[in-house]
Amino acid sequence: MSETKQISVQKSAEAAAAKAAELFRETIRQAVQQRGRCAIALAGGTTPRLMYQRLADEAVVDRVPWGQVDLFFGDERDVPQDDVESNFGVAQKMMLDHLPIDWERVHPMRADADDLDSASDEYEQIIRRVVPAGPDGIPQFDLVMLGMGGDGHTASLFPDSPILGEGKRLVVACHVPVLGRNRMTMTFPLINASRHIVMLVTGDDKAGVVERVIRQEDQSLPAARVYPVRGTLHYVLDTAAARLL
Ligand code: 6PG
């Protein structure tokens, strides 16, 4: 693997979650030490839950300056924040409610807004206001957490979606035909501007798509188009998901 691309394969989903939690904490400590703040975008789906649990359980001893973290979301479903499907709701219940964070610095996506396009634009403006821009003028997150769907999607960037080619907007609303639902999602220009990207993928059902993304770099799969312009990409896998590598 190159300097910019790393792979960690852990013996179980729990060990992969622990590795991701360690990277998560270390990124915050380093960013706050160097720049006095840390901007993070959380992933959705079910995989991050073990990592959230880990971060919450170890908050009392982790020496992490949680109060200096600006927390965003990589994507969100078109449901209220207290819905079981809400990426924010899951993060809040499993992690945020148990951390000494500054709630003023937590920014949920309003993906259940009536006007999703305006809500996406507003979210992009919050990011532009809060997250310092990198050399190319794009807000530069310290860490973007991502998952990988069985069809190779990541965030809410699905195969064959017209937003895969979005080159200007940083946050967009989209309809996902395969789900029959609307989503709000960060786009590749914003994701790939991040200092660090961690893609946490576990489970035997992901082995095929992991091989296509990591070994084949199959560009028909959105997850294979995650590539930091000047940062690092760290795949954190369990042995089941890495089975075909
Ligand atoms: C979402 C996520 C999505 C997720 C993958 C993997 O809102 O669903 O952003 O990209 O990371 O679908 O989901 P699982 O972790 O549930 O397998």
Side-chain angles (χ1 to χ4, degrees):
M1 277 282 151
S2 70
E3 183 61 23
T4 51
K5 246 186 184 180
Q6 304 286 325
I7 296 185
S8 303
V9 180
Q10 307 296 322
K11 61 182 185 314
S12 66
E14 290 73 16
K19 177 66 180 176
E22 179 195 315
L23 292 170
F24 196 99
R25 285 190 289 259
E26 197 42 46
T27 301
I28 297 172
R29 291 192 197 104
Q30 204 174 69
V32 171
Q33 187 184 12
Q34 291 172 2
R35 293 178 292 279
R37 59 191 307 157
C38 182
I40 294 181
L42 294 178
T46 57
T47 304
R49 296 178 185 195
L50 284 175
M51 183 191 78
Y52 293 162
Q53 189 66 56
R54 190 89 186 197
L55 289 169
D57 290 349
E58 297 172 352
V60 285
V61 294
D62 66 16
R63 292 179 300 101
V64 171
W66 291 104
Q68 274 72 48
V69 175
D70 295 305
L71 212 59
F72 294 82
F73 290 79
D75 72 323
E76 188 54 274
R77 290 91 179 272
D78 58 353
V79 295
Q81 288 176 1
D82 58 358
D83 188 293
V84 288
E85 284 291 304
S86 165
N87 291 333
F88 167 79
V90 169
Q92 178 193 3
K93 288 181 187 59
M94 297 199 71
M95 176 174 69
L96 303 181
D97 282 346
H98 310 282
L99 295 177
I101 51 163
D102 176 350
W103 279 99
E104 296 288 308
R105 302 179 76 158
V106 177
H107 306 281
M109 286 179 160
R110 291 182 40 251
D112 58 334
D114 292 337
D115 182 342
L116 211 40
D117 285 323
S118 301
S120 303
D121 291 343
E122 283 166 28
Y123 200 75
E124 175 167 334
Q125 292 317 310
I126 294 170
I127 292 172
R128 287 185 182 278
R129 176 166 49 79
V130 171
V131 183
D136 44 16
I138 298 175
Q140 188 172 29
F141 277 84
D142 294 287
L143 173 62
V144 170
M145 295 293 304
L146 293 171
M148 193 188 298
D151 61 356
H153 79 262
T154 190
S156 286
L157 300 163
F158 283 78
D160 307 319
S161 167
I163 63 174
L164 297 183
E166 176 59 51
K168 278 183 67 60
R169 290 179 299 166
L170 305 180
V171 181
V172 297
C174 59
H175 180 72
V176 183
V178 69
L179 301 175
R181 304 293 294 273
N182 293 325
R183 293 281 185 96
M184 188 186 298
T185 187
M186 291 184 176
T187 58
F188 284 124
L190 181 57
I191 291 169
N192 287 337
S194 182
R195 283 191 176 84
H196 302 288
I197 300 170
V198 170
M199 202 171 263
L200 175 60
V201 191
T202 59
D204 190 67
D205 61 321
K206 302 286 176 73
V209 70
V210 162
E211 193 276 338
R212 285 180 63 192
V213 167
I214 297 180
R215 190 200 293 283
Q216 298 184 39
E217 298 183 349
D218 180 346
Q219 296 301 296
S220 72
L221 302 180
R225 295 167 62 170
V226 170
Y227 199 86
V229 172
R230 60 180 63 80
T232 64
L233 168 58
H234 202 137
Y235 296 103
V236 178
L237 314 171
D238 65 355
T239 47
R243 175 169 58 85
L244 300 176
L245 288 183

